[in-house]
Amino acid sequence: MYKILVTFLIFGVFQCDKQEVNAEKGMTGEWRYVGTFNHTTDYTCYVCSDFDYEKSSYRLTFNDDKYYTAKINLLIGKGEYITSIEKSENDHISGTFENLNLQILNKPFETEADSRFQSMFMEANNFVLSTNYNGHVYDELILGSNNIEYLLFVRK
């Protein structure tokens, strides 16, 4: 009986060491839009020194309960999302992203850039989340789709 109890105790300790990866918890918080980038172009600097975090006009705030709020310039929105993890490493998580709905709660003037951002955000079907990547100041979140462009966000 004692051996069985010790075996279960050891098995339980090893189970606690295994860390469960949860994309929603990693994405939680406010993300500021940096820009739209192209997979076919080699950028030397994504978040360059001239990027002003406070002046970013597009912001997404993800909650770990699979809801988000959005500030797209003057537009205010909310919605739901689903993620699933395909690959997880030390400081990188990647997987699928599904934007279930985006409801715009107000109707101010909408620019062409606002419309393009909304369209790309709604089409996004994958994500890459990098935390503390190479000692960068920001965590980075990429939302992309099957086309060659993707949206890049950062979080302090």
Side-chain angles (χ1 to χ4, degrees):
M1 181 71 168
Y2 178 72
K3 290 180 183 179
I4 293 173
L5 216 70
V6 170
T7 304
F8 281 123
L9 181 62
I10 292 172
F11 181 72
V13 168
F14 284 118
Q15 289 292 26
C16 291
D17 288 342
K18 186 177 179 182
Q19 209 173 31
E20 184 179 319
V21 178
N22 185 327
E24 286 84 16
K25 292 212 183 290
M27 290 173 68
T28 299
E30 183 181 74
W31 294 89
R32 308 268 176 116
Y33 177 68
V34 176
T36 301
F37 295 93
N38 186 317
H39 287 292
T40 62
T41 306
D42 182 24
Y43 292 95
T44 57
C45 176
Y46 291 103
V47 186
C48 300
S49 60
D50 64 342
F51 172 69
D52 188 346
Y53 185 83
E54 298 303 323
K55 291 185 179 177
S56 179
S57 58
Y58 302 144
R59 300 172 187 185
L60 298 175
T61 303
F62 291 101
N63 301 315
D64 60 1
D65 59 358
K66 300 187 181 194
Y67 288 94
Y68 67 86
T69 58
K71 183 176 182 303
I72 305 169
N73 200 4
L74 300 174
L75 302 170
I76 297 172
K78 68 176 185 173
E80 298 175 70
Y81 69 102
I82 296 175
T83 59
S84 65
I85 295 174
E86 292 178 354
K87 186 176 180 184
S88 176
E89 296 176 0
N90 294 336
D91 53 3
H92 290 293
I93 300 172
S94 62
T96 61
F97 175 86
E98 185 178 353
N99 191 345
L100 299 177
N101 60 1
L102 169 61
Q103 297 175 314
I104 300 300
L105 303 175
N106 62 347
K107 293 292 180 188
F109 176 75
E110 185 175 327
T111 67
E112 185 177 328
D114 299 343
S115 298
R116 184 167 186 257
F117 177 88
Q118 282 183 73
S119 176
M120 289 186 69
F121 179 53
M122 290 301 295
E123 291 173 3
N125 60 15
N126 60 66
F127 77 94
V128 177
L129 173 64
S130 302
T131 55
N132 197 19
Y133 181 65
N134 288 338
H136 289 171
V137 176
Y138 304 108
D139 294 338
E140 296 179 0
L141 173 65
I142 293 173
L143 294 178
S145 63
N146 296 333
N147 65 26
I148 59 174
E149 293 184 316
Y150 58 89
L151 304 169
L152 176 64
F153 298 88
V154 292
R155 170 182 68 188
K156 282 187 176 182

